[in-house]
Amino acid sequence: MNYAMSVGKIKEEIESRLQHNFGVSPENATDEHYYKAVALIISDLLCKGRAETKVDAEKTHTKQIYYLCMEFLMGRSLKNNLFNLGLEANFREALSQMGIKLDDLYEEEPDAGLGNGGLGRLAACFLDGLATQGYPAIGYSLRYEYGIFRQKLVDGWQTELPDFWLPGGKVWLQEVPEKAIEVHFDGHIEEGWNNQYHIVNHKDYTNVLAIPYDMYVSGYDGRCVAKLRIWAARSPEFDMKMFNSGNYMRAMEQNAMAEVITKVLYPEDNHVEGKSLRLTQQYFLVSATIQDIVRRHLFKYSTLDNLPDVAAIHLNDTHPVLAIPELMRIMLDECGYTWEAAWDIVTRTVAYTNHTVMSEALECWGQDMFRLRLPRIYQIVEEINRRFCASMHEMGVDGYQVGRMAPLNDGYVKMANLAVAGSHSVNGVSALHSDILKETVFHDFYTVMPQKFQNVTNGIAHRRWLNQSNPELAALLTEKIGSGYILDASELEKFMAFKDDKKVLEQLAAIKHGNKERLAAYIKQANNIVIDPNSIFDVQVKRMHEYKRQHLNALHILSEYMWLRDNPNADYTPHTYIFGAKAAAGYYFAKQMIRFIVKLSEIINNDPRVNDKLKVVYVEDYRVSLAELMIPAADISEQISLAGTEASGTSNMKFMINGAVTLGTLDGANVEIHEAVGDENIILFGMTTPQVNDLKQKGYHPEVIAENNADIRHALRELGRGLGGVDFHDIVRSLSTQDPYMVLADFDSYCKAQKKAQELYLDKTAWQKMCLVNIAQAGRFAADRAIREYANNIWNANPLPMAKKAAVKPVPAPAQTLAAAPASAKKPVPGKRK
């Protein structure tokens, strides 16, 4: 499809949308009206592109990829789609001629509230990669009304507020009510036999409707358009009889209980109701999705026998693992397959990616709750478990090992075990993580079925995180090495030829400084804190969690502050530490970590003895659009999780491609970053994974370290006295008695790494060389590469033939820029209002 639009055509379309959709003239339209008008124009183009993708896939019988994930952290869509379709320049010019700034319209769009952190952002990056690489794909998730939450810090304490993203975000969504699907909960099962057919009836169930909403994601050059289908929960009908009989609250309650399923992403689960809601959300997602997949497949092929040949169902983490028994349910109860035939089809269709070694993320559901909420699915899980254990015993596997591998054991349904048993492929998301899965988390499975285990290191949508987030750097790259890297990120390596080019290094430094000035301006506006763009911008942004060790960073800052306070005239490289993270709503300790950092920042930033050299900023409500501002401005990328705990990380890749130097442990994808850039272009510290495991076996005693390290002892004592009137005894007690993530063990090494970073930064030429090498070696961490590996090694899928040719031939934007435009084009339109 040719997506090209001239400037004149764009203006006509915008005027038409303003008048017909919103009933306003261009002169009276607000920026919000213009944003929605432009979004509707792009949505229509994407809808047509998706239809073309679908037709081409059906003609060529190209394998469909179905990607299931509880979260898709999409961020904003307008800029991404304009860039990928090659339309940004023309829309910018057309809007300029109408007295509107495109950048102002970008700010009108809320971040789509469909995800929390790395997992959801990876899924979003993969949709971009699937579309660009030409694989027909549909992502499946839930249409959370309030998303994760909006973070508000009150006296340093995280408060969760609803994230009202739909009013501005739903313009990208197309409701498809005719494709609604029923999902059944509760009730009981009645079984029987009729002429050798097993008859299953689900009785007295609670019925919830899944209403699909579709969002489209363009690949670069418009080669292909992926679809994200997200489900909203609705009550199937309003009980008028109950309402008219006077039972008003009960009638309303039925509707409310259905809709609560897709109200909020990740409700607190530190109580029974929260656990039940999470399980309900997960089954609602997979039941609606699998029914949708099966319905689409049967409409075309009239049989499920060929499902593994033309469809790949991929489970992103354990949340959607109930897809396995749900697909079994449909094949057994509705399609009449034998168990053996159904299991063969299911296991050849489904693949699973594990994203963690954290025990709390390897979900387990209480057997009793599971049985009551999902009675038929529980029966199928029981049978999967019985047959799996029997097959393991037949193979001579030790009984204790079989118990550890069982999907149903110790009163729990174990989702990770069910995922491995029911998938043909299991992969980790970095080389180190995949090795850890084989050696520890899934070692019992690996000894029996090693052929299932693979690695696909995560990747990022480099067009978004480089070309869109850092256009000045992208322009320099295009000037020096051509534009080939936009489609093939491995071509970034050509930039290595300029690592000794003084002029290029100076250009890099100027681009970074400009990005730092933009971030400083935002922080001045949002936090009322003035930071120095000439200081080191040391950034740690990710989910707030003990294993990510933001408190290691903070403890070092406290120690550094105490030293600088006592030595105010010491030679010191000005340093700005910047944090951004949300803690899970029920995670008390993580919230204490946030408060520690915020209180520390208040003390340091208001201390005239040090605040011209040292600043600390906690950026509130961290989200994708903020990351796009913060990451290009970073000098140092903090990746400091305890070795062996971070599966991969993707912020490390985003920082790297924007020219930040990694300061981190040999954990997750840091290992591969180290391989790519070499010892001299990364700042490593801390124990390795084997050293961590060895110390755990010998016995770890943090109190001994604290007693023998004066810096730690003094910092913990200061923290124990409280900061800004707030008691932090919980953090002090945890670090000095348990320290589960070995903060104190790595503290001294971390301090030395920070000192080394400050020394390196003083040599501007050497530092810029390090930055350049990181940019040039970042190509291997593109989502496009990861998608090709999934397609070749796991899905056995080929791209659409049409995707090999670019579909977009953008109309060049007029040479005349806004700066040189006639005065009439630059003046605001009379009566225009924000």
Side-chain angles (χ1 to χ4, degrees):
M1 177 174 168
N2 187 352
Y3 296 92
M5 294 179 72
S6 68
V7 170
K9 179 64 173 175
I10 291 169
K11 290 171 66 177
E12 288 178 19
E13 286 287 326
I14 292 174
E15 289 181 9
S16 175
R17 293 287 180 175
L18 289 173
Q19 291 172 357
H20 291 113
N21 291 83
F22 306 108
V24 296
S25 65
E27 293 78 12
N28 294 321
T30 64
D31 283 352
E32 182 182 3
H33 288 134
Y34 274 96
Y35 151 65
K36 289 183 176 179
V38 172
L40 287 170
I41 294 167
I42 300 303
S43 291
D44 280 355
L45 290 176
L46 293 176
C47 188
K48 293 172 185 175
R50 175 63 194 177
E52 188 174 289
T53 297
K54 182 180 177 184
V55 168
D56 288 338
E58 289 177 350
K59 280 181 182 177
T60 57
H61 297 277
T62 302
K63 180 174 273 193
Q64 289 275 347
I65 311 302
Y66 299 111
Y67 198 83
L68 281 63
C69 188
M70 278 294 285
E71 48 179 297
F72 278 80
L73 192 54
M74 302 302 291
R76 294 169 172 173
S77 294
L78 180 57
K79 188 174 186 178
N80 185 63
N81 285 316
L82 283 176
F83 176 84
N84 278 351
L85 296 179
L87 292 171
E88 188 175 25
N90 281 11
F91 267 84
R92 187 178 296 279
E93 176 62 23
L95 287 163
S96 170
Q97 292 181 19
M98 301 176 81
I100 298 295
K101 293 182 179 178
L102 178 58
D103 290 333
D104 290 343
L105 303 195
Y106 290 153
E107 294 304 313
E108 287 293 320
E109 182 177 2
D111 286 52
L114 300 170
N116 175 27
L119 180 75
R121 188 55 226 163
L122 179 79
C125 287
F126 277 5
L127 279 184
D128 180 280
L130 283 160
T132 299
Q133 297 295 302
Y135 296 95
I138 303 179
Y140 282 99
S141 193
L142 298 182
R143 198 206 73 164
Y144 305 102
E145 186 173 341
Y146 294 126
I148 181 66
F149 57 80
R150 185 163 58 88
Q151 182 191 54
K152 182 70 178 174
L153 300 178
V154 180
D155 192 29
W157 187 256
Q158 173 183 288
T159 304
E160 298 84 30
L161 301 175
D163 176 23
F164 298 104
W165 74 279
L166 271 175
K170 67 182 178 183
V171 68
W172 296 101
L173 302 178
Q174 293 189 1
E175 185 178 3
V176 196
E178 67 274 14
K179 297 291 179 69
I181 287 174
E182 290 188 3
V183 180
H184 298 164
F185 298 95
D186 308 320
H188 65 277
I189 305 299
E190 293 182 357
E191 301 177 77
W193 291 88
N194 184 5
N195 296 327
Q196 298 183 331
Y197 286 100
H198 185 217
I199 306 300
V200 176
N201 285 315
H202 193 171
K203 297 282 191 175
D204 301 325
Y205 54 77
T206 300
N207 188 20
V208 179
L209 273 186
I211 311 295
Y213 290 77
D214 292 342
M215 174 186 285
Y216 299 107
V217 179
S218 58
Y220 182 69
D221 274 355
R223 294 163 177 239
C224 197
V225 176
K227 180 166 73 176
L228 174 60
R229 173 157 285 186
I230 52 180
W231 303 100
R234 296 286 183 270
S235 179
E237 59 185 25
F238 183 72
D239 195 330
M240 284 296 295
K241 184 178 179 181
M242 182 181 293
F243 187 87
N244 288 333
S245 68
N247 200 344
Y248 309 129
M249 294 305 295
R250 178 61 179 158
M252 297 298 294
E253 182 183 291
Q254 286 184 341
N255 192 59
M257 288 306 295
E259 294 189 6
V260 77
I261 294 172
T262 52
K263 212 73 172 176
V264 177
L265 168 64
Y266 296 151
E268 284 193 49
D269 65 348
N270 49 7
H271 45 72
V272 174
E273 291 80 5
K275 288 183 171 63
S276 178
L277 179 53
R278 282 210 189 191
L279 176 61
T280 300
Q281 286 182 328
Q282 292 182 11
Y283 182 66
F284 179 78
L285 165 63
V286 301
S287 180
T289 296
I290 296 300
Q291 289 184 69
D292 193 50
I293 292 170
V294 169
R295 182 166 63 182
R296 182 182 297 105
H297 183 86
L298 289 177
F299 183 80
K300 181 170 177 59
Y301 296 104
S302 303
T303 178
L304 291 175
D305 291 355
N306 66 337
L307 185 65
D309 302 320
V310 294
I313 297 175
H314 202 91
L315 311 179
N316 197 32
D317 220 354
T318 53
H319 308 123
V321 166
L322 292 179
I324 293 167
E326 175 66 6
L327 185 52
M328 287 294 292
R329 180 192 69 79
I330 292 171
M331 297 186 74
L332 295 170
D333 299 353
E334 299 179 15
C335 300
Y337 280 86
T338 65
W339 181 280
E340 292 77 11
W343 186 248
D344 175 65
I345 290 171
V346 169
T347 53
R348 288 191 293 121
T349 304
V350 175
Y352 161 61
T353 295
N354 174 278
H355 280 275
T356 187
V357 298
M358 298 286 107
S359 58
E360 68 264 29
L362 297 173
E363 293 179 305
C364 297
W365 298 110
Q367 198 169 319
D368 293 337
M369 180 181 71
F370 194 101
R371 184 196 298 112
L372 290 171
R373 196 69 173 131
L374 309 172
R376 180 54 179 153
I377 296 300
Y378 180 77
Q379 289 181 337
I380 292 171
V381 170
E382 270 193 320
E383 185 64 10
I384 291 173
N385 183 71
R386 187 189 70 76
R387 289 173 180 254
F388 175 79
C389 292
S391 68
M392 292 298 103
H393 287 304
E394 287 174 11
M395 294 171 63
V397 179
D398 174 76
Y400 290 106
Q401 183 175 344
V402 174
R404 293 191 298 269
M405 299 164 69
L408 185 60
N409 196 17
D410 297 329
Y412 290 96
V413 178
K414 300 185 176 181
M415 301 286 272
N417 287 2
L418 178 60
V420 180
S423 303
H424 66 83
S425 173
V426 179
N427 72 279
V429 289
S430 72
L432 175 63
H433 175 235
S434 295
D435 287 341
I436 291 172
L437 292 183
K438 292 185 285 190
E439 293 166 6
T440 58
V441 180
F442 295 135
H443 180 69
D444 291 321
F445 286 96
Y446 181 66
T447 60
V448 178
M449 48 192 82
Q451 74 283 355
K452 279 193 179 186
F453 289 83
Q454 302 194 53
N455 174 65
V456 181
T457 297
N458 282 343
I460 60 170
H462 72 282
R463 287 169 290 276
R464 184 178 199 127
W465 293 102
L466 173 59
N467 296 81
Q468 296 170 43
S469 301
N470 201 345
E472 292 85 0
L473 176 58
L476 176 63
L477 288 165
T478 301
E479 176 192 333
K480 297 302 178 185
I481 65 173
S483 61
Y485 74 93
I486 302 176
L487 266 178
D488 181 2
S490 67
E491 290 199 14
L492 284 171
E493 197 162 0
K494 294 178 179 178
F495 200 42
M496 285 292 290
F498 298 90
K499 72 183 181 70
D500 295 313
D501 186 319
K502 189 175 180 181
K503 183 179 178 182
V504 170
L505 296 178
E506 288 173 351
Q507 288 175 291
L508 271 183
I511 290 167
K512 179 68 71 175
H513 191 79
N515 292 332
K516 291 167 77 172
E517 287 181 326
R518 277 190 286 275
L519 178 57
Y522 174 84
I523 288 172
K524 175 65 172 70
Q525 179 188 27
N527 294 64
N528 198 27
I529 298 172
V530 176
I531 59 175
D532 180 8
N534 294 304
S535 66
I536 301 173
F537 277 20
D538 187 318
V539 184
Q540 186 173 13
V541 287
K542 50 185 71 238
R543 183 163 49 93
M544 183 61 65
H545 199 294
E546 287 174 88
Y547 88 83
K548 295 180 185 289
R549 299 202 298 189
Q550 287 95 340
H551 52 336
L552 168 58
N553 190 347
L555 192 67
H556 166 259
I557 295 170
L558 175 58
S559 177
E560 193 171 46
Y561 163 64
M562 293 166 62
W563 175 82
L564 198 56
R565 185 180 60 192
D566 294 337
N567 301 275
N569 297 318
D571 189 23
Y572 179 82
T573 307
H575 211 121
T576 302
Y577 293 93
I578 304 172
F579 294 84
K582 294 179 180 178
Y587 192 169
Y588 172 80
F589 195 89
K591 288 184 171 183
Q592 280 286 80
M593 290 165 62
I594 292 175
R595 202 174 203 186
F596 172 22
I597 297 165
V598 172
K599 288 299 173 183
L600 186 61
S601 71
E602 291 173 359
I603 291 170
I604 291 173
N605 297 344
N606 290 297
D607 189 337
R609 294 171 293 181
V610 303
N611 62 12
D612 60 335
K613 296 180 179 179
L614 178 63
K615 288 280 177 71
V616 181
V617 179
Y618 200 103
V619 178
E620 193 176 70
D621 200 33
Y622 179 64
R623 55 197 184 276
V624 175
S625 54
L626 265 183
E628 292 168 345
L629 177 67
M630 296 169 73
I631 289 173
D635 294 307
I636 293 176
S637 162
E638 293 269 356
Q639 308 295 333
I640 61 177
S641 52
L642 178 66
T645 60
E646 181 75 87
S648 167
T650 52
S651 73
N652 46 7
M653 304 169 188
K654 296 164 192 167
F655 281 111
M656 179 189 187
I657 205 168
N658 280 283
V661 175
T662 301
L663 191 157
T665 52
L666 279 171
D667 193 26
N670 291 356
V671 175
E672 289 155 271
I673 290 175
H674 176 226
E675 290 173 359
V677 302
D679 292 338
E680 64 278 10
N681 297 298
I682 189 171
I683 303 167
L684 296 174
F685 77 95
M687 297 176 287
T688 62
T689 302
Q691 289 170 334
V692 169
N693 294 334
D694 185 53
L695 182 54
K696 286 179 180 177
Q697 287 181 347
K698 290 178 179 176
Y700 175 53
H701 302 286
E703 67 278 4
V704 175
I705 297 175
E707 185 59 34
N708 290 300
N709 185 305
D711 289 339
I712 293 175
R713 189 169 65 251
H714 294 154
L716 289 178
R717 187 176 299 146
E718 178 110 349
L719 185 59
R721 287 195 288 263
L723 297 175
V726 178
D727 181 356
F728 291 103
H729 278 107
D730 289 335
I731 294 179
V732 173
R733 191 179 304 112
S734 174
L735 289 175
S736 56
T737 61
Q738 298 170 300
D739 195 14
Y741 297 102
M742 298 184 169
V743 167
L744 302 194
D746 276 348
F747 181 83
D748 189 57
S749 178
Y750 179 71
C751 292
K752 291 174 180 174
Q754 279 284 0
K755 186 176 181 182
K756 179 182 178 182
Q758 294 187 25
E759 292 169 353
L760 288 168
Y761 187 78
L762 291 174
D763 186 338
K764 298 301 182 185
T765 300
W767 184 265
Q768 290 306 322
K769 281 186 181 181
M770 294 173 70
C771 297
L772 185 147
V773 171
N774 273 271
I775 295 166
Q777 298 298 333
R780 69 160 76 179
F781 299 109
D784 295 349
R785 181 270 314 154
I787 289 300
R788 287 194 296 271
E789 291 181 10
Y790 276 105
N792 294 334
N793 304 330
I794 295 176
W795 302 329
N796 190 28
N798 294 310
L800 288 168
M802 58 82 71
K804 295 174 183 176
K805 297 180 180 179
V808 168
K809 293 181 174 59
V811 175
Q816 178 177 284
T817 64
L818 181 58
S824 59
K826 292 189 283 184
K827 289 179 181 177
V829 177
K832 185 157 301 302
R833 62 187 186 278
K834 176 69 176 173

